[in-house]
Structures are given as C-alpha cells and as structure tokens.
Amino acid sequence: MAVRLLSYELSDLCLGKPALRSLSITSTVAEALEVLKTSGDSSVSVWSCDHKAKSDSASGFCDDDCRCVGKICMVDVICYLCKDEHLVSPLLALKEPVSVLLQKTPGIVLHVEPSCSLLEAIDLILGGAQNLVVPIKTKLSNKRRQHQKPSPSVTIHKGREFCWLTQEDIIRFLLSSIGLFSPFPALSIDALGIISSEIHTIEYHSPASAAIGAISQALLDQTSVAVVDSEGTLIGEISPFTLACCDETVAAAIKTLSSGDLMAYIDCGGPPEDLVQVVSARLKERNLNGMLEHLTMSMSFGGFSSSSSSSDEESTVAPAPRSLRHSRSMSYSARMVRRAEAIVCHPKSSLVAVMIQAISHRVNYVWVIEDDCSLVGIVTFSDMLKVFREHLEAIA
C-alpha cells in the first residue's frame, strides 16, 4: 500500500547523490561563472561560513557554522548582464560579489535533517523550497579526514558532506512507486484539475528583451516563457532550462533579437552565423562595445560548443505538433545538450504520462495544448505534488 511510503526519510532518497559543489558568498560573479562552466552542474550552491569558530586549517575541513544561503545558475548571470549598465562594461559587472545574483525570495534553499520525512519534504517544496540541503549520513572517519585531500569546491562541515534534493528527485521517487497510488495516476490532468492558466507568454515577433522579467520569474517558478503567435498558438519557448546550457554572452542576443530569433540563436549546435552578425551589428549601433568585445572573444575561444558526451535521453525530443516543428538542432553547451523545442501534452493526457514526459526531458513542467496547438496552460511538478500530497494525507 501507499502507506509504506510514509516511512521513508530523505536519507533514503539521497542514496547515490553526489556531494554539493560549493561557492563562497565572498566569491565574485566571474568566479561563479567559471564554476558553472567547468563543473558540469546546472547550478551551484552558495555558502556562508562563520570562520570565528574552530577550524582545522591543516586538513582543510571546517568545524565552523557553514550554511547554504542560495544557489545560482547561468540564467542568473545572463539576466544580470542584460541590464544596460552591465552590457556597457560586462567585465566590470563580473567583478561584483556573487551575492548580487542570489534570489531575494526567502526559503528557496532550506537545510533539513536526513530524518526528515517524505511528507515533510513535500510540504516544504509546496511551500516554495526548490532545493532541500541534506547532510550525507556517512561520516568521514578521523583517519580518512587526515589523509583525504578535500575538493576545494565541496563543502564539508563537521566531517559531513551535503547533497540536495529537488522537485524532480521527489517526482522520480514517487514515479518509481506509482503502482501504489492506483488508480488516480491514470486519470487525465484535466480531470485532476492541475492545468494552470497562470503562464508567461511573449509574442513571436516581440523583442526578446521584453521577456527578461518573465524569464527571471520563470526561473523562480521553475517554468518557462511560451512564445506564441498573434492567435495564441504555441510556437516554442524561451526556457531557463535551455538558457542554463548557454553561456553569458546570450545576454547580448536577448537585448538585440526578437523572441523568434532568440529561439533560433539558443537552439543550435552553436548560434547561426547570420544571427551572430546581427547581434554584433546591433551592439555596435548601440555603442555597447564592452559586450561586443566580450562576445567576439567568446566566439574566438570556441564559445557555445556542444557537448559530445550527452546521453540519448538528454538529446532526443519527441516530434511536436505542426506549428512546433522547426528546423532545430541541439542547444550548445559545454555541460549538457538540450533542445529548446517545447514539450507538450493534451488535457486528456494521464498524470503518469505527463510525469514521464517531464522527467525524460529534464524539465519541471509540460505545456498543455489543444489539437490545433492553441495554448491551454501548463502542468508543473508542483501541481503534481499537490495531488500526491492529498493522497498521502488521506492515508496518513
């Protein structure tokens, strides 16, 4: 029965999770950018440590009060550089402390104990938490602490490393036991009432710069910005999940291209040469020479290169309906290849089918469309968790 799920603790979900890479709150934006480009992670945790407490400087392990105060990803850097003053002098902007990138909304990242229950974790996520920071239970022995050379990017506090759990981790765990929830996972998302009409949209021909606020909010909501035509037909999306696979110079494209052209710019093995020339010319027209130089240097050093090591799961996207089909290839990234083609379902799609769609494409949402591709709304992991939470509460 599903009641047995109530006995699970977060430590059970943390098995096999890698230790968090960390960044000090005193780091600069440039240092954060370097970690994002080289770590292979879509986001990095930011930590604040009180070094007034006792620490073992010889071993490199700290016994001080270290706490994760937030997380950053490439989209945070891109939106930050989209500000006019930063486009004028991006190198100066990159020297600012990483704290300028942190979301001001409290509770996005929360520390929890390994003994925290699955039900408690779901409640925290539904309350707004995106990442739950969990100590990895296995402690390092004193002998190991003396001989192991710690990674400079991994936080170890009182002999413990940390991992974090996300909405996706919880949904994956529930999907692995989906049979215990029968029959409601087979019901349609329409019947379950989890299709949300609160969505971010922008018209295809509108300036992409008009979507900057929506992109920032979509990052916070863990959703996306739908690109639609004048009749409300879904054409594609500007997704934080796709932007996270790009580099910081995409800020120049956001400020100079239309929404439709931006989709083409970020959804390739590298930005099309003609669009790069358009971006460069418009930067020059606006006297944004700092970003123009930064863009030129990035291109000369092989920026926007695709990863050749991505899995089939990450690079394969099922065909989309008529108006969603465009001649697109995989998005560029040194970290992970992702296509920006919108993932869609229909109102009559079952909950379990939509869960599988979202997980297989590594996104936290699926767009809902009618047969004519008109946009109905969106289904998110948060919406799905509400349904499971109600079911678990009924059997608690």
Side-chain angles (χ1 to χ4, degrees):
M1 293 178 63
V3 67
R4 81 182 193 192
L5 291 177
L6 299 177
S7 64
Y8 281 98
E9 299 178 346
L10 290 194
S11 57
D12 299 314
L13 279 67
C14 291
L15 295 176
K17 295 283 287 185
L20 277 180
R21 296 178 183 271
S22 65
L23 195 68
S24 170
I25 190 68
T26 61
S27 301
T28 64
V29 175
E31 290 170 331
L33 189 58
E34 181 65 20
V35 172
L36 287 169
K37 287 183 174 181
T38 59
S39 68
D41 298 329
S42 60
S43 61
V44 62
S45 60
V46 180
W47 291 72
S48 176
C49 295
D50 179 9
H51 291 288
K52 293 179 181 179
K54 180 181 178 182
S55 62
D56 185 355
S57 58
S59 67
F61 294 91
C62 60
D63 279 339
D64 44 23
D65 185 17
C66 288
R67 292 194 66 80
C68 180
V69 295
K71 64 173 182 174
I72 57 169
C73 67
M74 186 61 73
V75 187
D76 293 308
V77 180
I78 291 171
C79 290
Y80 169 71
L81 290 178
C82 279
K83 296 179 180 179
D84 292 338
E85 63 270 26
H86 298 157
L87 287 171
V88 172
S89 182
L91 294 182
L92 187 61
L94 293 176
K95 293 180 181 179
E96 291 294 313
V98 72
S99 57
V100 301
L101 301 178
L102 294 177
Q103 295 281 356
K104 301 301 185 286
T105 305
I108 291 180
V109 174
L110 293 177
H111 280 260
V112 295
E113 290 300 318
S115 58
C116 179
S117 71
L118 175 63
L119 207 57
E120 291 170 332
I122 293 176
D123 285 340
L124 290 173
I125 289 176
L126 292 179
Q130 293 183 4
N131 297 73
L132 301 179
V133 181
V134 188
I136 296 177
K137 264 193 170 181
T138 303
K139 293 190 177 183
L140 301 176
S141 66
N142 291 332
K143 184 176 181 180
R144 183 182 173 192
R145 288 180 61 177
Q146 292 173 359
H147 293 90
Q148 178 178 328
K149 183 178 181 181
S151 167
S153 62
V154 172
T155 293
I156 301 179
H157 172 48
K158 294 183 180 178
R160 294 196 293 182
E161 296 177 332
F162 296 82
C163 66
W164 62 20
L165 295 174
T166 65
Q167 290 184 4
E168 181 183 341
D169 293 315
I170 304 296
I171 289 291
R172 281 182 180 274
F173 181 76
L174 293 173
L175 183 61
S176 69
S177 303
I178 199 67
L180 299 177
F181 294 94
S182 183
F184 88 82
L187 298 178
S188 72
I189 55 175
D190 187 25
L192 291 170
I194 58 173
I195 303 174
S196 173
S197 59
E198 296 181 4
I199 55 179
H200 306 289
T201 63
I202 190 166
E203 206 271 329
Y204 182 85
H205 295 290
S206 297
S209 58
I212 294 174
I215 293 171
S216 296
Q217 188 59 46
L219 176 63
L220 185 60
D221 297 339
Q222 296 188 290
T223 57
S224 183
V225 180
V227 179
V228 298
D229 64 15
S230 58
E231 297 179 352
T233 299
L234 181 64
I235 298 175
E237 66 176 348
I238 301 173
S239 169
F241 290 87
T242 302
L243 290 172
C245 299
C246 305
D247 78 6
E248 75 280 6
T249 61
V250 168
I254 293 176
K255 292 293 287 188
T256 56
L257 297 177
S258 69
S259 297
D261 284 341
L262 178 63
M263 286 196 300
Y265 191 94
I266 66 176
D267 194 22
C268 330
E273 182 60 32
D274 59 334
L275 287 180
V276 173
Q277 292 177 2
V278 169
V279 171
S280 298
R282 291 176 181 173
L283 288 174
K284 188 174 182 179
E285 288 173 4
R286 302 177 190 182
N287 293 319
L288 298 174
N289 295 321
M291 180 54 80
L292 176 59
E293 182 179 347
H294 195 65
L295 175 63
T296 303
M297 186 177 297
S298 175
M299 292 299 177
S300 65
F301 280 96
F304 309 98
S305 60
S306 295
S307 168
S308 59
S309 61
S310 63
S311 68
D312 290 339
E313 176 184 86
E314 292 168 337
S315 61
T316 304
V317 176
R322 293 182 295 272
S323 66
L324 296 180
R325 291 176 184 162
H326 294 273
S327 55
R328 302 175 179 174
S329 58
M330 293 174 287
S331 64
Y332 43 84
S333 174
R335 299 171 298 284
M336 184 177 74
V337 173
R338 183 186 299 285
R339 297 179 68 178
E341 189 167 318
I343 308 303
V344 301
C345 67
H346 292 81
K348 299 305 179 184
S349 297
S350 68
L351 172 61
V352 65
V354 176
M355 289 173 68
I356 293 172
Q357 267 188 293
I359 287 175
S360 64
H361 296 297
R362 302 302 302 273
V363 292
N364 287 34
Y365 61 89
V366 177
W367 295 107
V368 185
I369 62 171
E370 295 289 3
D371 291 336
D372 62 356
C373 294
S374 59
L375 184 58
V376 175
I378 194 170
V379 175
T380 67
F381 279 164
S382 181
D383 297 321
M384 300 175 193
L385 285 174
K386 289 176 183 177
V387 176
F388 283 99
R389 176 66 178 83
E390 291 172 1
H391 190 80
L392 288 170
E393 185 175 34
I395 62 176

